[in-house]
Structures are given as structure tokens and as C-alpha cells.
Amino acid sequence: MRKQEKIHHNQRKTIRTFVAIEPGENLKMLLTDTIEKLKRMGFKGNWTKPENIHLTLFFLGNLNMHKIVDIAYKMGERISGFPSFVYDVEKLGYFAQGDNLKTLWFGVHGGKTLEGIYSEVKKSIIFNSIDVSKETFVPHITVGRIKKYPDHWKALLGSIDFEKIEVPVDSVGLYSSTLTKKGPIYKKMYTIDFEGGVIING
């Protein structure tokens, strides 16, 4: 492939992309402990790996690199100078269809500050001609997608309790997601730091 053809090929290549906030180590520990409890109770599923845990703001689908760069720098314009804050993780919840358990998650409460950062990121995405205007934000962190569970699963989930933890936030990340047979592989492409602006991660 000639150099010019290679450049055009790379421009056409798309990357599965999402915007998220990284967790703290205390959240990774909570995830590991909770999954171990669920396994002992008889729950089986595709569990979130500690290195993959994150608070998703937007899933953007497949984008070319030019679009990803534009979004990163527009986010930098909008959220540079945003105050650092914390969000709370305070319960284990679930999504179900009737009595069929589908997904387990940690509930997140970040108040007006988390809603504010979501709003600014949303404006950055819409500015780059990606329509996320109808999306609503239900902040949660996926623990696992469930394949098998005990008959009395609601009572068992109700017995899992933990002390509220606080997760500090001082940046937002723009990630790639590569799907493999062993599960997704996430890589942070850009960090949009509240104080330091846009940082290229590779």
C-alpha cells in the first residue's frame, strides 16, 4: 500500500468509542468483594473486570480518529477549570425483565456537579454532529451481566450491604473499546483534566 493510500485508509478506520470517568481504588476493591459474594450465593455472569470498571457518560459508537480528536478538544474547551468533586456509590441495584434478572450495578449519586459535567460533555458531542440530545443520564456502574441466578435472588441481593464510598473526580476520559472473545479491552485515548486540559494517552 502506497503512503497516500495508507493515510486515506487510516482516516476511514473507525474506533468503538465511549466517554467515561475512571474509578478510585476503593471502588475496584468494592467491585471485587461484591462479585465474590455474588458467586458464593450462586450468581453466574459476565463480571466486570476491576481494570475495566468506569462510570460511563456516553457511548459514541464507531468514530474515525478525526472525529475523536475534535470531540476531545471541544470537551477540553468546555470542562477545563471545572471543579474537582466526588460521587458516592451507595447501593447494589439491578435491571430485570419481569422476574428475569439481567444486570447488576452500583448506584451512583453525584448531585448537581455530576449532572453539570454530563451536560458539558453532551454539548461537546452535539457540537461535533453526534445526536445524543435525547439521551438521559442514569448514573450507574455495571457489576455484571447475569446468566444464571438462584430462585430467591431478590432476597439475596437485598442482603448485600456496604458502607457508602466516595470516588474523587478530576478528569474525564475518552476511551476505545475493542471487543474480543475474552471480553472488551478498554484503552484511554485522551484524558480531559479539569486543571491540565487535554492529555493524549496514546
Side-chain angles (χ1 to χ4, degrees), residues 26-151:
N26 54 353
L27 183 52
K28 292 180 181 180
M29 292 174 60
L30 175 63
L31 174 73
T32 300
D33 291 345
T34 302
I35 289 173
E36 287 304 314
K37 289 178 183 177
L38 290 164
K39 287 179 177 179
R40 289 196 296 269
M41 290 176 174
F43 292 86
K44 296 181 181 180
N46 293 326
W47 305 108
T48 299
K49 297 177 181 178
E51 62 269 24
N52 282 351
I53 192 171
H54 57 268
L55 173 58
T56 301
L57 300 180
F58 290 95
F59 176 71
L60 302 179
N62 294 312
L63 303 178
N64 64 47
M65 200 61 211
H66 285 308
K67 182 69 72 175
I68 293 168
V69 171
D70 289 345
I71 291 170
Y73 282 93
K74 178 53 68 174
M75 285 169 59
E77 290 177 13
R78 297 203 69 95
I79 67 178
S80 289
F82 204 89
S84 299
F85 66 99
V86 297
Y87 66 79
D88 299 331
V89 178
E90 50 193 8
K91 68 175 181 178
L92 179 67
Y94 61 86
F95 295 135
Q97 291 180 346
D99 288 327
N100 296 320
L101 179 61
K102 296 296 183 181
T103 305
L104 294 175
W105 43 262
F106 290 135
V108 169
H109 178 70
K112 295 295 184 182
T113 313
L114 180 56
E115 291 176 9
I117 200 70
Y118 173 85
S119 177
E120 291 303 318
V121 171
K122 188 174 190 176
K123 291 172 184 175
S124 304
I125 295 168
I126 292 173
F127 180 86
N128 281 282
S129 303
I130 299 174
D131 186 10
V132 292
S133 59
K134 294 181 181 178
E135 292 197 20
T136 56
F137 188 37
V138 182
H140 66 279
I141 294 170
T142 300
V143 173
R145 291 174 172 81
I146 307 305
K147 292 183 175 180
K148 191 174 181 180
Y149 48 87
D151 291 337

Side-chain angles (χ1 to χ4, degrees), residues 138-174:
V138 182
H140 66 279
I141 294 170
T142 300
V143 173
R145 291 174 172 81
I146 307 305
K147 292 183 175 180
K148 191 174 181 180
Y149 48 87
D151 291 337
H152 49 301
W153 60 269
K154 289 184 180 179
L156 289 171
L157 293 180
S159 72
I160 296 178
D161 196 13
F162 53 86
E163 291 186 9
K164 179 181 72 174
I165 64 172
E166 295 183 340
V167 180
V169 180
D170 58 14
S171 66
V172 172
L174 198 54

